[in-house]
């Protein structure tokens, strides 16, 4: 790599940093906890599902301890809260159902994995021919741990994602409407 290429990269980096600073100054008046809707986000006086999805995505980046503000055109204020409540309640209901199903799946996966390990242990103890083979016991051990790991993933990784989605929706529902 020659000196000119490195210098070009530094120059490009400097330009990017200047661009970032300029954008920060241009959009500084926009508050981080304020979400904005326009007339195009409504159809027949009701909030479009696509606008609701955008609100959820934007609300995701606002910390839970901050109060969310939603700025919208004055012509749409009367039906907005009703539409927001309706769309959010449907999604909250689905999230609750998904959480219950995930918990049941996690329990089933966990007990299937433990059952496979138990059967494998019994076979190794009481059946000498089975204990002498190496492939089948190793394969069953891997399969059982795959089931156990699936349950752990559901309970500790996917569960948090659903919980965060729920709290983001509740934060959006408690927003101040401007």
């Amino acid at each position: 790599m020659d000196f000119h290429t490195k210098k070009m990269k530094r120059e490009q980096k400097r330009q990017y940093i200047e661009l970032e600073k300029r954008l920060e100054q241009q959009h500084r008046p926009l508050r981080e906890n304020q979400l904005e809707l326009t007339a195009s986000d409504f159809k027949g006086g009701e909030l479009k599902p696509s606008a609701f999805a955008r609100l959820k995505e934007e609300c995701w980046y606002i910390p839970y301890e901050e109060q969310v503000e939603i700025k919208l055109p004055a012509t749409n204020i009367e039906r907005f809260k009703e539409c927001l409540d309706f769309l959010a309640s449907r999604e909250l209901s689905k999230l609750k159902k998904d959480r219950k199903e995930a918990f049941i799946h996690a329990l089933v996966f966990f007990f299937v994995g433990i059952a496979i390990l138990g059967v494998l242990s019994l076979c190794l103890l009481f059946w000498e021919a089975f204990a002498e083979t190496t492939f089948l016991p190793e394969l069953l051990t891997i399969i059982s741990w795959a089931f156990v790991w699936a349950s752990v993933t559901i309970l500790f990784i996917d569960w948090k994602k659903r919980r965060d989605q729920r709290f983001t929706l509740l934060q959006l529902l408690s927003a101040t409407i401007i």
Side-chain angles (χ1 to χ4, degrees):
M1 185 183 284
D2 65 304
F3 178 74
H4 183 70
T5 309
K6 285 184 180 179
K7 184 170 173 62
M8 182 64 161
K9 287 185 179 181
R10 284 188 202 130
E11 179 65 26
Q12 192 174 23
K13 182 179 177 181
R14 187 183 61 73
Q15 289 173 352
Y16 288 157
I17 290 171
E18 287 175 9
L19 174 64
E20 183 180 33
K21 288 178 182 176
R22 188 171 42 85
L23 286 172
E24 255 179 36
Q25 290 172 351
Q26 281 178 336
H27 298 287
R28 187 164 295 198
L30 186 63
R31 293 173 37 198
E32 290 181 12
N33 66 332
Q34 190 175 73
L35 307 175
E36 193 168 337
L37 292 172
T38 62
S40 63
D41 292 320
F42 295 87
K43 184 177 182 179
E46 293 190 0
L47 183 66
K48 290 181 182 178
S50 60
F52 175 70
R54 185 173 54 83
L55 279 176
K56 283 188 319 186
E57 286 180 25
E58 290 178 11
C59 189
W60 173 257
Y61 296 103
I62 300 173
Y64 294 132
E65 59 271 1
E66 289 188 29
Q67 177 66 33
V68 176
E69 296 177 354
I70 302 174
K71 187 176 178 181
L72 59 130
T75 56
N76 301 102
I77 288 177
E78 64 275 348
R79 295 264 327 193
F80 171 72
K81 187 66 174 158
E82 184 181 323
C83 292
L84 185 67
D85 288 350
F86 173 72
L87 292 169
S89 68
R90 283 185 13 192
E91 189 148 341
L92 283 168
S93 175
K94 171 119 176 59
L95 280 171
K96 187 176 183 179
K97 179 181 168 257
D98 289 349
R99 285 169 53 119
K100 284 181 182 177
E101 286 178 2
F103 184 74
I104 291 169
H105 288 145
L107 285 177
V108 169
F109 287 155
F110 181 77
F111 287 122
V112 166
I114 296 300
I116 292 172
L117 275 177
V119 169
L120 178 62
S121 296
L122 289 175
C123 287
L124 290 171
L125 279 175
F126 298 115
W127 190 17
E128 283 185 35
F130 188 78
E132 292 174 9
T133 64
T134 56
F135 175 73
L136 196 55
E138 294 293 327
L139 179 66
L140 289 175
T141 302
I142 292 170
I143 290 171
S144 68
W145 281 112
F147 276 99
V148 171
W149 183 249
S151 71
V152 168
T153 302
I154 290 170
L155 283 178
F156 294 106
I157 297 172
D158 298 343
W159 193 267
K160 182 184 181 319
K161 180 182 173 189
R162 286 185 182 95
R163 186 196 67 204
D164 288 346
Q165 289 172 334
R166 178 177 163 237
F167 286 135
T168 299
L169 278 170
L170 294 170
Q171 181 184 27
L172 186 61
L173 285 173
S174 64
T176 304
I177 300 169
I178 302 172

